C-alpha cells in the first residue's frame, strides 16, 4: 500500500478523534488503487452502531460504483474490524483487508479467528496487518486517556 493511503486512513481517524468518536478511519480502494470510499467513526453522533468507519466507507464505495459487489477492491482501516464489519466487508466481496492495529476487545480478524477459520469462512478474502509506526496506538491511547479524564471530572 502506498504511504498516501496510510496517511488518508490516519487522517480520517483523526477526524473521528476530533469528533469525540473512537478514532477509526477506513478507505476502499478499487483495483487500480484509487479511493472509491472513505469513512470514519460517527456512531455517537448518529446514535447508530452502523456508524462504523468501515461501513461508511463501504456505503460510499457502493454509491460510487453503483453496485454492492466490490470485487477486486481492498479495504484499509487503522483498527482491526469487528465481527459486524467483517461480515459486511466479506459480503461485499472485498478481496483484501489491510489493518494496522489489532483490537483485543472487539477485533475479529486476528483476535477472534485463526487464519484457518477465516479461510474456511471467507476463502477469497486476504487479510494483512500493516505497521503504521505506532500512529494508531498513540491516537487510541490519547482518546481513551481523554475519555477517562472526562469521566473523572464528571464524578
Amino acid at each position: 500500500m502506498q504511504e498516501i493511503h496510510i496517511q488518508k486512513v490516519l487522517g480520517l481517524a483523526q477526524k473521528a478523534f476530533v469528533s469525540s468518536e473512537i478514532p477509526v478511519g477506513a478507505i476502499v480502494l478499487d483495483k487500480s488503487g484509487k479511493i472509491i470510499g472513505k469513512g470514519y467513526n460517527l456512531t455517537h453522533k448518529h446514535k447508530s452502531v452502523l456508524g462504523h468507519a468501515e461501513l461508511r466507507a463501504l456505503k460510499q464505495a457502493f454509491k460510487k460504483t453503483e453496485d454492492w459487489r466490490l470485487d477486486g477492491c481492498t479495504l484499509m482501516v487503522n483498527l482491526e474490524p469487528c465481527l459486524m464489519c467483517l461480515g459486511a466487508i466479506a459480503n461485499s466481496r472485498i478481496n483484501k483487508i489491510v489493518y494496522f492495529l489489532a483490537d483485543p476487545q472487539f477485533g475479529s480478524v486476528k483476535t477472534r479467528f485463526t487464519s484457518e477459520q477465516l479461510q474456511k469462512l471467507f476463502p477469497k478474502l486476504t487479510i494483512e496487518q500493516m505497521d503504521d509506526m505506532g500512529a494508531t496506538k498513540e491516537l487510541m491511547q490519547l482518546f481513551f486517556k481523554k475519555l477517562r479524564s472526562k469521566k473523572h471530572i464528571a464524578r
Side-chain angles (χ1 to χ4, degrees):
M1 295 288 122
Q2 295 180 357
E3 181 67 27
I4 194 164
H5 294 135
I6 295 168
Q7 292 309 313
K8 185 65 172 177
V9 170
L10 294 173
L12 290 164
Q14 185 66 38
K15 281 185 173 187
F17 177 84
V18 170
S19 300
S20 298
E21 298 277 354
I22 295 175
V24 179
I27 60 174
V28 177
L29 305 166
D30 69 10
K31 293 173 190 171
S32 69
K34 179 182 171 202
I35 297 173
I36 58 170
K38 56 188 176 186
Y40 58 93
N41 272 5
L42 282 176
T43 53
H44 295 284
K45 182 179 179 184
H46 292 162
K47 297 182 182 357
S48 171
V49 296
L50 302 177
H52 285 207
E54 300 94 325
L55 299 181
R56 295 183 73 230
L58 287 173
K59 188 174 180 179
Q60 200 175 86
F62 299 150
K63 189 173 182 177
K64 178 102 174 180
T65 62
E66 298 180 342
D67 197 352
W68 61 270
R69 292 176 294 264
L70 299 173
D71 296 297
C73 293
T74 297
L75 183 129
M76 181 183 271
V77 60
N78 65 315
L79 188 67
E80 179 183 8
C82 70
L83 187 57
M84 173 181 68
C85 291
L86 176 61
I89 293 163
N91 282 309
S92 72
R93 300 184 184 166
I94 289 269
N95 287 71
K96 185 175 187 177
I97 298 172
V98 176
Y99 71 98
F100 305 154
L101 182 67
D103 181 353
Q105 188 169 8
F106 295 108
S108 64
V109 172
K110 190 175 192 177
T111 304
R112 301 279 180 243
F113 294 110
T114 65
S115 297
E116 293 79 24
Q117 289 169 323
L118 284 169
Q119 184 63 36
K120 196 178 264 188
L121 284 168
F122 312 114
K124 294 182 180 179
L125 184 63
T126 303
I127 299 164
E128 176 185 331
Q129 186 172 5
M130 184 179 218
D131 186 6
D132 72 349
M133 309 305 281
T136 296
K137 184 177 181 180
E138 187 178 315
L139 193 56
M140 289 292 174
Q141 288 172 335
L142 188 58
F143 173 80
F144 286 107
K145 183 178 181 181
K146 185 176 160 184
L147 188 67
R148 282 190 300 275
S149 74
K150 280 184 182 178
K151 285 182 179 179
H152 181 69
I153 291 169
R155 289 182 187 178

